[in-house]
Amino acid sequence: MFVLNQASDLDEPWLQFKNLLVRQLAFCIASPNILAAIPAELVLKHSFQLHASKTWTKHFQHYHSRLLYLDQHPQELEVFLQQLKSTRLGLRFEMFIWFWLLDQNYHPYKVLGHSIQKIAGAKTLGELDFLLLNTETNQVEHWEVALKYYLAERDFSLAYWYGLNRSDTLVRKLNHFSQKQFQFEDALEYEIERRYAVLKGQLYLPVEPTQQIIPPWVNLKRRLGYWGSYIPPQNSHFYRLQRQEWICPASHVSSETAHWWINGLYLQKDKPNFYMFRHAPLLSQRVE
């Protein structure tokens, strides 16, 4: 039987807005990280932190009046996003975060730098997404931001959360944060005092019944989706989300009834059920 069990009482304030870009901006600010904590089994080379969910709730509350204005007058946001020529969702997410950070009247951060390259001679050592001064603590913070979608397999342990490209795994991303992206002690002649990963998106559990336990590091304040290769019954009324809607769906149904030969993310009409449909041959591929 195809059954999706979803909590209906999660706080998802981004859904109150009508303009799609503003809904997505609100999601990027208000949604909690997909992880509630850094998994204990992760071996850290360079330590970093995750913002608590209540921190993002506070940021959204402070920005709410601005979002209401943008919902009626989105031109400024539209023009800002025109700088982005890529269709990659991760870069789009970064642009939304940058737009919010530049609105300095609504939060305690001052942008010291964005996309900062660290170069030694002819070699590029890496790049920092954001260097910020937190005016409440007077500390310099390094933020790395990422929008990710991972599907749980086997025993739900850290090693078995796969992205849509199976070489992109959750453990690989976390190791990249620790081993590569947070290696720097300074940037732009500022000493880095705190390091934060802003890791948002969605996690998906297999639709098949399972006795596996959800790990404690999964943030249950963020809605979980389901994934599988099963085709839901016709009366379940799923439709396929457009690629940009993976950040946040439009306020109206944006496509026809689902055609299940196409891999992608699907949403149930009038219900908050997300289903990542994957063809079985794709699931059988393993990257060692």
Side-chain angles (χ1 to χ4, degrees), residues 64-112:
H64 187 245
S65 62
R66 173 70 162 149
L67 289 165
L68 289 173
Y69 176 82
L70 289 169
D71 205 28
Q72 298 297 318
H73 309 88
Q75 294 81 6
E76 182 181 352
L77 180 57
E78 292 170 352
V79 170
F80 186 83
L81 290 174
Q82 287 173 5
Q83 300 175 72
L84 181 63
K85 306 306 179 185
S86 172
T87 60
R88 289 175 54 192
L89 290 182
L91 293 178
R92 187 176 180 85
F93 173 69
E94 183 177 331
M95 288 293 287
F96 280 120
I97 294 292
W98 191 18
F99 181 90
W100 166 66
L101 286 171
L102 291 174
D103 259 343
Q104 197 172 326
N105 293 332
Y106 299 91
H107 55 70
Y109 305 109
K110 178 182 178 182
V111 178
L112 302 176

Coordinates of all heavy atoms in Angstrom, one line a residue, residues 64-112:
H64 N 10.2 39.7 8.5 CA 8.8 39.5 8.0 C 8.2 40.7 7.3 O 7.6 40.6 6.2 CB 8.0 39.1 9.2 CG 6.6 38.6 8.8 ND1 5.4 39.3 9.1 CD2 6.1 37.6 8.0 CE1 4.4 38.7 8.6 NE2 4.8 37.7 7.9
S65 N 8.4 41.9 7.8 CA 7.8 43.1 7.2 C 8.4 43.3 5.9 O 7.7 43.8 4.9 CB 8.0 44.3 8.1 OG 9.4 44.5 8.3
R66 N 9.7 43.1 5.7 CA 10.4 43.3 4.4 C 9.8 42.2 3.4 O 9.6 42.6 2.2 CB 11.9 43.1 4.7 CG 12.7 43.0 3.4 CD 12.8 44.4 2.7 NE 13.9 44.4 1.8 CZ 14.0 45.1 0.7 NH1 12.9 45.9 0.3 NH2 15.0 45.1 -0.1
L67 N 9.6 41.0 3.8 CA 9.1 40.0 2.9 C 7.7 40.4 2.5 O 7.3 40.1 1.3 CB 9.1 38.6 3.6 CG 10.5 38.0 3.8 CD1 10.4 36.9 4.8 CD2 11.0 37.5 2.5
L68 N 6.9 40.9 3.4 CA 5.5 41.3 3.0 C 5.6 42.4 1.9 O 4.8 42.4 1.0 CB 4.8 41.8 4.2 CG 4.4 40.8 5.3 CD1 3.8 41.4 6.5 CD2 3.3 39.8 4.7
Y69 N 6.5 43.3 2.1 CA 6.7 44.4 1.1 C 7.1 43.8 -0.3 O 6.6 44.1 -1.3 CB 7.7 45.4 1.6 CG 8.0 46.5 0.5 CD1 7.2 47.6 0.4 CD2 9.1 46.4 -0.3 CE1 7.4 48.6 -0.6 CE2 9.4 47.3 -1.3 CZ 8.5 48.4 -1.4 OH 8.8 49.4 -2.4
L70 N 8.1 42.9 -0.2 CA 8.6 42.3 -1.4 C 7.5 41.5 -2.1 O 7.5 41.4 -3.4 CB 9.8 41.4 -1.1 CG 11.1 42.2 -0.8 CD1 12.2 41.2 -0.2 CD2 11.7 43.0 -2.0
D71 N 6.7 40.9 -1.4 CA 5.6 40.1 -2.0 C 4.7 40.9 -2.9 O 4.1 40.4 -3.8 CB 4.8 39.4 -0.9 CG 4.1 38.2 -1.3 OD1 4.6 37.5 -2.2 OD2 3.0 37.8 -0.8
Q72 N 4.6 42.2 -2.5 CA 3.8 43.1 -3.3 C 4.6 43.9 -4.4 O 4.1 44.3 -5.4 CB 3.1 44.1 -2.4 CG 2.1 43.5 -1.5 CD 1.0 42.8 -2.2 OE1 0.4 43.3 -3.2 NE2 0.6 41.6 -1.7
H73 N 5.9 44.0 -4.1 CA 6.9 44.8 -4.9 C 8.1 44.0 -5.1 O 9.2 44.3 -4.5 CB 7.2 46.1 -4.3 CG 6.0 46.9 -3.9 ND1 5.4 46.8 -2.6 CD2 5.2 47.8 -4.5 CE1 4.3 47.6 -2.5 NE2 4.2 48.2 -3.7
P74 N 8.1 42.9 -5.9 CA 9.3 42.0 -6.0 C 10.4 42.5 -7.0 O 11.4 41.7 -7.2 CB 8.6 40.7 -6.5 CG 7.5 41.2 -7.4 CD 7.0 42.5 -6.7
Q75 N 10.3 43.7 -7.6 CA 11.2 44.1 -8.6 C 12.6 44.0 -8.2 O 13.5 43.6 -8.9 CB 10.8 45.4 -9.2 CG 9.5 45.5 -9.9 CD 8.3 45.6 -8.9 OE1 8.5 45.8 -7.7 NE2 7.1 45.6 -9.4
E76 N 12.9 44.5 -7.0 CA 14.3 44.6 -6.5 C 14.9 43.2 -6.4 O 16.0 43.0 -6.8 CB 14.3 45.2 -5.1 CG 15.7 45.4 -4.5 CD 15.7 46.0 -3.1 OE1 14.6 46.5 -2.7 OE2 16.7 46.1 -2.5
L77 N 14.1 42.2 -5.9 CA 14.6 40.9 -5.8 C 14.8 40.3 -7.2 O 15.7 39.5 -7.5 CB 13.6 40.0 -5.0 CG 13.9 38.5 -4.8 CD1 15.2 38.4 -4.1 CD2 12.8 37.9 -4.0
E78 N 13.9 40.5 -8.1 CA 14.0 40.0 -9.5 C 15.2 40.5 -10.2 O 16.0 39.7 -10.8 CB 12.7 40.5 -10.3 CG 11.4 39.8 -9.8 CD 10.2 40.5 -10.5 OE1 10.4 41.5 -11.2 OE2 9.1 39.9 -10.3
V79 N 15.5 41.8 -10.0 CA 16.7 42.4 -10.6 C 18.0 41.8 -10.0 O 19.0 41.4 -10.7 CB 16.7 43.9 -10.5 CG1 18.1 44.5 -10.9 CG2 15.6 44.5 -11.3
F80 N 18.0 41.6 -8.7 CA 19.2 41.0 -8.0 C 19.4 39.6 -8.6 O 20.6 39.2 -8.9 CB 18.9 40.9 -6.5 CG 20.1 40.5 -5.7 CD1 21.1 41.4 -5.4 CD2 20.2 39.2 -5.3 CE1 22.2 41.0 -4.7 CE2 21.3 38.8 -4.6 CZ 22.3 39.7 -4.3
L81 N 18.4 38.8 -8.7 CA 18.6 37.4 -9.2 C 19.0 37.3 -10.7 O 19.5 36.3 -11.1 CB 17.3 36.6 -9.0 CG 17.0 36.3 -7.5 CD1 15.6 35.6 -7.4 CD2 18.0 35.4 -6.9
Q82 N 18.8 38.4 -11.4 CA 19.2 38.4 -12.8 C 20.7 38.3 -13.0 O 21.2 38.0 -14.1 CB 18.7 39.6 -13.5 CG 17.2 39.6 -13.8 CD 16.6 40.9 -14.3 OE1 17.3 41.8 -14.6 NE2 15.3 41.0 -14.4
Q83 N 21.4 38.6 -11.9 CA 22.9 38.4 -11.9 C 23.3 37.0 -12.1 O 24.4 36.7 -12.6 CB 23.5 38.9 -10.6 CG 23.3 40.4 -10.3 CD 23.8 40.7 -8.9 OE1 25.1 40.8 -8.8 NE2 23.0 40.9 -8.0
L84 N 22.4 36.1 -11.7 CA 22.7 34.6 -11.7 C 22.4 34.1 -13.1 O 21.2 34.1 -13.5 CB 21.9 33.9 -10.6 CG 22.1 32.4 -10.5 CD1 23.6 32.1 -10.2 CD2 21.1 31.8 -9.5
K85 N 23.4 33.6 -13.8 CA 23.2 33.0 -15.1 C 23.0 31.5 -15.1 O 22.5 30.9 -16.0 CB 24.4 33.4 -16.0 CG 24.7 34.9 -16.1 CD 23.4 35.7 -16.5 CE 23.7 37.2 -16.6 NZ 22.5 38.0 -16.8
S86 N 23.5 30.9 -14.0 CA 23.4 29.4 -13.9 C 22.0 29.0 -13.4 O 21.2 29.8 -12.8 CB 24.4 29.0 -12.8 OG 24.2 27.6 -12.5
T87 N 21.6 27.8 -13.8 CA 20.3 27.2 -13.3 C 20.5 26.3 -12.1 O 19.5 25.7 -11.6 CB 19.7 26.4 -14.4 OG1 20.6 25.3 -14.8 CG2 19.4 27.3 -15.6
R88 N 21.7 26.2 -11.6 CA 22.0 25.4 -10.4 C 21.2 25.9 -9.2 O 21.3 27.0 -8.8 CB 23.5 25.3 -10.1 CG 24.2 24.5 -11.2 CD 25.7 24.5 -10.9 NE 26.0 24.1 -9.6 CZ 27.2 24.3 -9.0 NH1 28.2 24.9 -9.7 NH2 27.4 23.9 -7.8
L89 N 20.5 25.0 -8.5 CA 19.7 25.4 -7.3 C 20.6 25.8 -6.2 O 20.2 26.7 -5.4 CB 18.8 24.2 -6.9 CG 17.7 23.8 -7.8 CD1 16.9 22.7 -7.2 CD2 16.8 25.0 -8.1
G90 N 21.8 25.2 -6.0 CA 22.7 25.6 -4.9 C 23.1 27.0 -5.1 O 23.2 27.8 -4.1
L91 N 23.4 27.5 -6.3 CA 23.8 28.9 -6.5 C 22.6 29.8 -6.4 O 22.8 30.9 -5.9 CB 24.4 29.0 -7.9 CG 25.7 28.3 -8.2 CD1 26.2 28.5 -9.6 CD2 26.8 28.8 -7.2
R92 N 21.4 29.4 -6.7 CA 20.2 30.2 -6.5 C 20.0 30.4 -5.0 O 19.7 31.5 -4.6 CB 19.1 29.5 -7.2 CG 17.8 30.3 -7.2 CD 16.7 29.5 -8.0 NE 15.4 30.2 -8.0 CZ 15.1 31.1 -8.9 NH1 16.0 31.4 -9.8 NH2 13.9 31.7 -8.9
F93 N 20.2 29.3 -4.3 CA 20.0 29.4 -2.8 C 21.0 30.4 -2.2 O 20.7 31.2 -1.4 CB 20.3 28.0 -2.2 CG 20.3 28.0 -0.7 CD1 19.2 28.2 0.0 CD2 21.5 27.7 -0.1 CE1 19.2 28.2 1.4 CE2 21.6 27.6 1.3 CZ 20.4 27.9 2.1
E94 N 22.3 30.3 -2.7 CA 23.3 31.3 -2.2 C 22.9 32.7 -2.5 O 23.2 33.6 -1.7 CB 24.6 30.9 -2.9 CG 25.8 31.7 -2.4 CD 27.1 31.3 -3.0 OE1 27.3 30.1 -3.3 OE2 28.0 32.2 -3.1
M95 N 22.3 32.9 -3.7 CA 21.9 34.3 -4.1 C 20.8 34.8 -3.2 O 20.8 36.0 -2.8 CB 21.4 34.3 -5.5 CG 22.5 34.1 -6.6 SD 23.7 35.6 -6.7 CE 22.6 36.8 -7.4
F96 N 19.9 34.0 -2.8 CA 18.8 34.4 -1.9 C 19.4 34.8 -0.5 O 19.1 35.8 0.1 CB 17.8 33.3 -1.7 CG 16.8 33.2 -2.8 CD1 16.7 32.0 -3.5 CD2 16.0 34.2 -3.1 CE1 15.7 31.9 -4.6 CE2 15.0 34.2 -4.1 CZ 14.9 33.0 -4.8
I97 N 20.4 33.9 0.0 CA 21.0 34.2 1.3 C 21.8 35.6 1.2 O 21.8 36.4 2.1 CB 22.0 33.1 1.7 CG1 21.2 31.8 2.0 CG2 22.8 33.5 2.9 CD1 20.3 31.9 3.2
W98 N 22.5 35.8 0.0 CA 23.2 37.0 -0.2 C 22.3 38.2 -0.2 O 22.6 39.3 0.5 CB 24.0 36.9 -1.5 CG 25.0 38.0 -1.7 CD1 25.6 38.8 -0.8 CD2 25.7 38.3 -2.9 NE1 26.5 39.7 -1.3 CE2 26.6 39.4 -2.7 CE3 25.5 37.9 -4.2 CZ2 27.3 40.0 -3.7 CZ3 26.3 38.4 -5.2 CH2 27.2 39.5 -4.9
F99 N 21.2 38.1 -0.9 CA 20.2 39.2 -0.9 C 19.8 39.6 0.5 O 19.7 40.8 0.9 CB 19.0 38.8 -1.7 CG 17.9 39.9 -1.8 CD1 18.0 40.8 -2.9 CD2 16.9 40.0 -0.9 CE1 17.0 41.8 -3.0 CE2 15.9 41.0 -1.0 CZ 16.0 41.9 -2.1
W100 N 19.5 38.6 1.3 CA 19.0 38.8 2.7 C 20.2 39.4 3.5 O 20.0 40.4 4.3 CB 18.6 37.5 3.3 CG 18.4 37.5 4.8 CD1 17.5 38.3 5.5 CD2 19.2 36.8 5.8 NE1 17.7 38.0 6.9 CE2 18.7 37.2 7.1 CE3 20.3 35.9 5.7 CZ2 19.3 36.6 8.2 CZ3 20.8 35.4 6.8 CH2 20.3 35.7 8.1
L101 N 21.4 38.9 3.4 CA 22.5 39.5 4.2 C 22.8 40.9 3.8 O 23.2 41.7 4.7 CB 23.7 38.6 4.0 CG 23.7 37.2 4.6 CD1 24.9 36.4 4.2 CD2 23.8 37.4 6.2
L102 N 22.6 41.3 2.6 CA 22.8 42.7 2.2 C 21.7 43.6 2.8 O 22.0 44.8 2.8 CB 22.9 42.8 0.7 CG 24.1 42.2 0.0 CD1 24.0 42.2 -1.5 CD2 25.4 42.8 0.4
D103 N 20.6 43.1 3.2 CA 19.6 43.9 3.8 C 19.9 44.1 5.3 O 19.3 43.5 6.2 CB 18.2 43.2 3.7 CG 17.3 43.8 2.6 OD1 17.6 44.9 2.2 OD2 16.4 43.1 2.2
Q104 N 20.9 44.9 5.6 CA 21.6 44.9 6.9 C 20.7 45.5 8.0 O 21.0 45.3 9.2 CB 22.9 45.7 6.8 CG 23.8 45.5 7.9 CD 25.2 46.2 7.7 OE1 25.7 46.3 6.6 NE2 25.7 46.7 8.8
N105 N 19.6 46.1 7.7 CA 18.7 46.7 8.7 C 17.9 45.6 9.4 O 17.2 45.9 10.4 CB 17.8 47.7 8.1 CG 18.5 48.9 7.7 OD1 19.6 49.3 8.2 ND2 18.0 49.6 6.6
Y106 N 18.0 44.4 9.0 CA 17.0 43.3 9.5 C 17.7 42.2 10.2 O 17.1 41.2 10.6 CB 16.2 42.8 8.3 CG 15.4 43.8 7.6 CD1 15.9 44.5 6.5 CD2 14.1 44.1 8.1 CE1 15.1 45.4 5.9 CE2 13.3 45.0 7.5 CZ 13.8 45.7 6.3 OH 13.1 46.7 5.7
H107 N 19.0 42.3 10.4 CA 19.8 41.2 11.1 C 21.1 41.8 11.6 O 21.5 43.0 11.2 CB 20.0 40.1 10.1 CG 20.7 40.5 8.9 ND1 22.0 40.9 8.8 CD2 20.3 40.6 7.6 CE1 22.4 41.2 7.6 NE2 21.3 41.0 6.8
P108 N 21.9 41.1 12.4 CA 23.1 41.7 13.0 C 24.3 41.5 12.2 O 25.4 41.7 12.7 CB 23.2 40.9 14.3 CG 22.6 39.5 14.0 CD 21.5 39.8 13.0
Y109 N 24.2 41.1 10.9 CA 25.4 40.7 10.2 C 25.8 41.8 9.2 O 25.0 42.4 8.5 CB 25.2 39.4 9.4 CG 24.8 38.3 10.3 CD1 23.5 37.8 10.2 CD2 25.6 37.7 11.2 CE1 23.0 36.7 11.0 CE2 25.2 36.7 12.0 CZ 23.9 36.2 11.9 OH 23.5 35.2 12.7
K110 N 27.1 42.1 9.1 CA 27.7 42.9 8.1 C 28.5 42.1 7.2 O 29.4 41.4 7.6 CB 28.6 44.0 8.8 CG 29.3 44.9 7.8 CD 30.2 46.0 8.5 CE 30.9 46.9 7.5 NZ 31.8 47.8 8.2
V111 N 28.3 42.2 5.9 CA 29.0 41.4 4.9 C 30.4 42.0 4.7 O 30.5 43.1 4.2 CB 28.2 41.3 3.6 CG1 29.0 40.5 2.6 CG2 26.9 40.7 3.8
L112 N 31.4 41.2 5.0 CA 32.8 41.6 4.8 C 33.3 41.1 3.5 O 34.2 41.8 2.9 CB 33.7 41.1 5.9 CG 33.3 41.5 7.4 CD1 34.2 40.8 8.4 CD2 33.4 43.0 7.5

